[in-house]
Amino acid sequence: MPELPEVEVVRRGLVSWVRGRIIERVDVLDDRSIRRHALGAGDFVGNLEGAIVADVVRRGKFLWMPLLDATAGTADEPSGNGRPAVALMAHLGMSGQLLMQDADVPDEKHLKVRFRLGSRDGMPEQLRFVDQRIFGGLFVTSLVPTDDGGPGGLAESPLPLIAEEAAHIARDPLDPAFSFDLFYRRLRKRKTGLKRALLDQGLVSGIGNIYADEALWRSRLHFARPTDTLRRAEAERVLGSARDVMLDALAAGGTSFDSLYVNVNGASGYFDRSLNAYGREGQPCHRCAAAGIHALIRRDQFMNRSSHTCPVCQPRPRNGRW
């Protein structure tokens, strides 16, 4: 499942290609990929054809493109009236890909939806949604005001609007409007384990299983540490580690364990080569090995998935909560 850095890689790629362009035509090749759009393919297409992609926005793992009505201008210099009221929401699921392609590139095997965009010199004409496992999808949704009056998410031209389906989640550590004080107050009120709290999208969004393990390893904290015992400095350390590990992943283009996650140019990320904990069961802990200590990464069952820790530099708390 793509996590925050992977979705942000896609957002950054899309911005440079689609922002300000008109959607001239939409071809829905598989209705299953727009099943979340309750009014069906006709309404989906009707909302999109003739609209301008105003921006590409992300909060946590949610990605959407606010849309404006094209009332004047050309494909090269479109203009729209007013603020966007709706957005095209993209849920990548396990294998969803948003790819920019020239019209003469043959259709991908698992192509589900094709968008033909207004021409612009040197830019591909089509945005394609490809999804092998069909767990992802696209739909049109309303934009609503944010509850704190701040930007809806990370964007080129932030507005205090958020896609309705993302309005319930907290800000993520890469969001300039993220409040550590608010996060820490809420964290201390939880009576749960630290990793479970990090995965709670209502507390802090965008931290998934991979980056939670990596952040906990970097901050030398165990996933079962009770949140109500966490000191402010420890909370700052783990949030700072989460932010740093996701920025490192962004610089590497994301984490790709197979060919299903790619950016808009079809390239895979390579941050998996830099992982210190996740997926390294039975392998030496890099930090302990550097100190001359023999310690092997262990894997524990956790919330129907796995947690990876070093038993030496991330000791399990005696009063741990899973």
Side-chain angles (χ1 to χ4, degrees):
M1 179 74 74
E3 296 194 29
L4 184 155
E6 289 75 61
V7 179
E8 177 61 15
V9 167
V10 173
R11 188 198 74 81
R12 293 181 182 186
L14 283 176
V15 164
S16 60
W17 294 113
V18 306
R19 187 173 180 237
R21 295 177 73 178
I22 295 174
I23 300 173
E24 293 186 341
R25 177 172 170 173
V26 181
D27 299 311
V28 177
L29 306 177
D30 190 333
D31 284 354
R32 291 176 296 175
S33 286
I34 63 162
R35 63 190 178 279
R36 293 176 177 85
H37 191 86
L39 296 179
D43 186 78
F44 178 80
V45 171
N47 273 282
L48 295 172
E49 288 187 344
I52 298 169
V53 180
D55 209 336
V56 186
V57 188
R58 180 196 57 74
R59 180 185 286 206
K61 304 174 193 177
F62 287 80
L63 185 74
W64 65 92
M65 294 173 244
L67 303 172
L68 287 168
D69 288 330
T71 57
T74 66
D76 291 324
E77 294 182 354
S79 61
N81 285 340
R83 278 185 168 187
V86 297
L88 172 62
M89 194 89 170
H91 177 60
L92 299 180
M94 293 290 291
S95 60
Q97 301 171 358
L98 288 164
L99 302 174
M100 295 300 306
Q101 300 284 29
D102 288 318
D104 58 359
V105 174
D107 287 349
E108 291 77 8
K109 181 179 179 181
H110 301 288
L111 177 63
K112 305 302 180 185
V113 184
R114 182 194 298 110
F115 303 89
R116 189 177 70 191
L117 305 176
S119 62
R120 186 170 288 180
D121 290 344
M123 291 192 175
E125 299 102 326
Q126 295 185 5
L127 172 63
R128 299 177 182 179
F129 180 69
V130 178
D131 192 2
Q132 177 178 331
R133 296 176 181 168
I134 321 180
F135 292 151
L138 306 172
F139 57 96
V140 177
T141 184
S142 298
L143 290 170
V144 298
T146 56
D147 59 1
D148 59 6
L154 211 59
E156 302 307 297
S157 301
L159 292 172
L161 300 172
I162 188 168
E164 194 167 16
E165 282 73 14
H168 66 286
I169 70 168
R171 296 190 179 276
D172 64 70
L174 300 188
D175 190 326
F178 179 83
S179 169
F180 175 80
D181 288 339
L182 178 61
F183 164 78
Y184 184 60
R185 288 198 304 272
R186 291 176 173 174
L187 180 73
R188 288 278 297 181
K189 292 178 181 178
R190 300 286 204 276
K191 293 187 180 297
T192 187
L194 180 53
K195 182 174 177 179
R196 188 181 290 270
L198 292 176
L199 297 178
D200 181 349
Q201 301 298 293
L203 179 66
V204 54
S205 67
I207 303 178
N209 201 42
I210 296 174
Y211 298 113
D213 278 1
E214 292 299 301
L216 289 166
W217 183 88
R218 290 191 183 201
S219 58
R220 298 174 179 257
L221 293 168
H222 193 274
F223 66 83
R225 174 67 182 272
T227 52
D228 54 345
T229 69
L230 209 64
R231 296 184 292 272
R232 184 181 179 90
E234 292 172 317
E236 288 176 339
R237 192 165 80 235
V238 73
L239 250 293
S241 295
R243 185 181 298 107
D244 290 344
V245 74
M246 289 193 285
L247 288 173
D248 288 347
L250 267 174
T255 303
S256 298
F257 291 104
D258 57 35
S259 61
L260 292 181
Y261 163 68
V262 295
N263 65 20
V264 295
N265 296 316
S268 295
Y270 53 90
F271 186 68
D272 59 301
R273 304 172 194 174
S274 303
L275 295 173
N276 289 298
Y278 184 85
R280 298 191 66 249
E281 178 188 6
Q283 299 180 47
C285 169
H286 295 315
R287 181 167 49 224
C288 290
I293 301 169
H294 179 69
L296 302 180
I297 298 294
R298 61 172 288 160
R299 179 175 67 88
D300 293 290
Q301 290 297 314
F302 177 82
M303 292 176 62
N304 296 319
R305 55 189 109 181
S306 299
S307 264
H308 299 81
T309 56
C310 173
V312 174
C313 59
Q314 293 174 270
R316 183 194 303 270
R318 278 178 285 183
N319 59 341
R321 297 191 184 120
W322 287 35

